[in-house]
Amino acid sequence: MDPVIEIGVIDNDQMLLQGMAAWIAGTGDIDLMATATSVAEYLASAPTPRIVILDLNLENYTDPARNVAELVDAGLKVIVASVIPDREYIALTTEAGAAAYITKNNNLDALAEVIRAVHEGRSTTTPEHAFWLSRDDRPRRPHLSPREQEILYAVGRGTPHKAIARHLGISVSTVQTHLERVRSKYAQAGRPIRHPAQYGDRLREDSLGRDKIGPDFGADQ
């Protein structure tokens, strides 16, 4: 007999959470082991399931892409679910590391197949996921390394190069080298950065507002 797949669910709908365990039990090979109404609550409970179904809009003013990133950083595989598809956030949560996306009007068989695919490491792109990703009409976004993203974030907030170098333990010339690469990548994407104010513009346009270096960064400017 195949082992039972343990999952968790994060959703602000208490009625849904209360009925989810019984609904999932109908699969026979999937078990709902943990529930929460927020990402913070879920992670604080130190859950054992490595797969979690996350509501796209938790209605607690948290950013969907950041929610996914926090769960992925904790070593979890995330399946995003929503009632009404949101083209922008479907793209952003996918970029943040979500393993799959599914709408809540699907039946149990469809959800179970996505869970099994994520568990087994198989392709998990549902037709609806592929459809909404194909409608992503945001400006072309270059692929930046984590270090390039954090330096772009700091510069976009107006932090001086010396403060960035001191905080990260690197030289000012290294900071400048990373920025040259950032500018080059944006130029190749057809979105050149021609003056300093455009660093902040690119942060807003590409939703790169996740502070990867800590809230105190720039305090020593």
Side-chain angles (χ1 to χ4, degrees), residues 20 39 110 124 135 138 151 180 195 202 209:
M20 195 73 170
V39 171
T124 55
R135 296 300 187 272
R138 295 171 302 157
I151 289 178
E180 289 173 3
H195 54 80
R202 298 299 175 264

Side-chain angles (χ1 to χ4, degrees), residues 30-176:
I30 301 172
D31 196 0
L32 177 58
M33 301 294 293
T35 62
T37 58
S38 71
V39 171
E41 178 188 349
Y42 188 80
L43 293 176
S45 69
T48 56
R50 308 318 297 167
I51 297 174
V52 58
I53 300 172
L54 171 69
D55 186 17
L56 181 68
N57 181 14
L58 291 175
E59 298 182 358
N60 59 0
Y61 305 104
T62 55
D63 178 75
R66 183 183 293 239
N67 287 337
V68 170
E70 289 181 3
L71 293 167
V72 171
D73 286 347
L76 305 179
K77 296 180 179 180
V78 182
I79 298 171
V80 173
S82 73
V83 175
I84 301 174
D86 185 307
R87 176 174 56 186
E88 179 180 1
Y89 277 121
I90 291 170
L92 290 173
T93 52
T94 300
E95 291 171 353
Y101 167 81
I102 190 169
T103 50
K104 291 184 177 180
N105 62 353
N106 276 280
N107 59 28
L108 179 58
D109 289 341
L111 175 60
E113 178 54 31
V114 170
I115 293 171
R116 295 181 188 115
V118 170
H119 174 70
E120 296 167 7
R122 294 187 279 112
S123 173
T124 55
T125 303
T126 60
E128 57 206 335
H129 195 183
F131 174 82
W132 288 109
L133 289 179
S134 72
R135 296 300 187 272
D136 182 12
D137 60 357
R138 295 171 302 157
R140 185 181 172 196
R141 179 176 174 178
H143 177 72
L144 304 180
S145 70
R147 178 50 58 90
E148 289 166 353
Q149 286 190 40
E150 63 184 353
I151 289 178
L152 172 60
Y153 181 80
V155 173
R157 293 176 65 194
T159 307
H161 293 189
K162 288 184 178 179
I164 298 172
R166 184 163 56 250
H167 188 91
L168 296 177
I170 58 179
S171 67
V172 172
S173 63
T174 300
V175 172
Q176 294 169 339

